[in-house]
Amino acid sequence: MRVLVTGPSLKDQGGVAGYYNALLPFLKHEGIAVSYLEIGGTHAAGGILSPLVDQLRFRSALRRFRPHLVHINPSFNLKSFLRGGFFIRGACRVRAGLPVLVFFRGWRQGFEHAAETRYRTFFTRTYGKAAAVIVLGRAIEQKLRAWGVTAPIHVEHTVVAEELLAGFSLSERLRGFV
């Protein structure tokens, strides 16, 4: 299985980078080919054009890597929301039926009203097409359901003790998914 993951630089100090620094070796051990595409953030190339550069790099990665699954990790603020939405749209255009997993990493309640009103159509046409969504709280799950998300929504934590993964096989769990 090939998975394209988007996220911040793995050199960043934040929780998302730490999460993937811990998870990626496990996925490789399971025989899952992962292409991690660093986007935005502190190491962004392109300066003011970095949002456009991110989109071009994403489309190139889709064509080159030909993933079975795309996993995006947006925060819930305007810039990340738009970038992630265009990633979803791009994935759907490159290959119909390509599943996209969305893991909302941050949630700015101040942006909720704008997303619910001004960007609702954009949300429905992009994030509404996700195959599954991961959130960090039940209140976010309830908000997404109220906005019409019908895909499975998983409420998760971002840190897992390594010993909890002993004997767990992701390949086994994904059998039949692709």
Side-chain angles (χ1 to χ4, degrees):
M1 170 179 235
R2 291 184 306 275
V3 180
L4 175 61
V5 178
T6 67
S9 172
L10 294 174
K11 296 174 187 167
D12 282 355
Q13 297 296 312
V16 178
Y19 178 84
Y20 283 105
N21 279 317
L23 184 63
L24 291 175
F26 176 76
L27 294 176
K28 289 177 186 173
H29 175 74
E30 287 287 321
I32 296 170
V34 176
S35 178
Y36 187 89
L37 181 64
E38 294 182 355
I39 56 162
T42 56
H43 303 281
I48 194 165
L49 296 176
S50 66
L52 177 59
V53 170
D54 282 345
Q55 293 300 319
L56 295 173
R57 290 178 57 242
F58 178 75
R59 301 252 174 126
S60 175
L62 283 172
R63 288 185 181 95
R64 186 180 66 254
F65 188 60
R66 297 186 345 260
H68 297 108
L69 174 69
V70 173
H71 179 157
I72 66 170
N73 293 278
S75 291
F76 202 67
N77 60 52
L78 181 60
K79 180 181 174 184
S80 187
F81 174 80
L82 293 174
R83 178 180 53 217
F86 285 120
F87 284 166
I88 295 168
R89 181 178 253 161
C92 292
R93 283 187 176 162
V94 166
R95 191 176 91 216
L98 176 61
V100 176
L101 171 64
V102 175
F103 192 159
F104 282 110
R105 295 306 193 133
W107 192 269
R108 300 214 186 248
Q109 290 190 348
F111 182 64
E112 272 186 26
H113 181 71
E116 195 166 13
T117 57
R118 191 175 317 142
Y119 301 109
R120 183 70 175 266
T121 300
F122 180 79
F123 179 87
T124 302
R125 292 182 179 172
T126 56
Y127 291 93
K129 296 188 184 312
V133 178
I134 302 172
V135 297
L136 298 174
R138 294 266 177 232
I140 299 168
E141 174 191 24
Q142 292 168 354
K143 179 62 71 173
L144 294 176
R145 290 285 181 224
W147 291 350
V149 173
T150 59
I153 299 176
H154 307 277
V155 180
E156 299 292 336
H157 303 282
T158 59
V159 179
V160 176
E162 191 172 319
E163 57 270 10
L164 293 176
L165 298 175
F168 177 79
S169 172
L170 188 57
S171 300
E172 287 281 321
R173 296 294 300 250
L174 291 175
R175 191 165 297 159
F177 181 70
V178 178

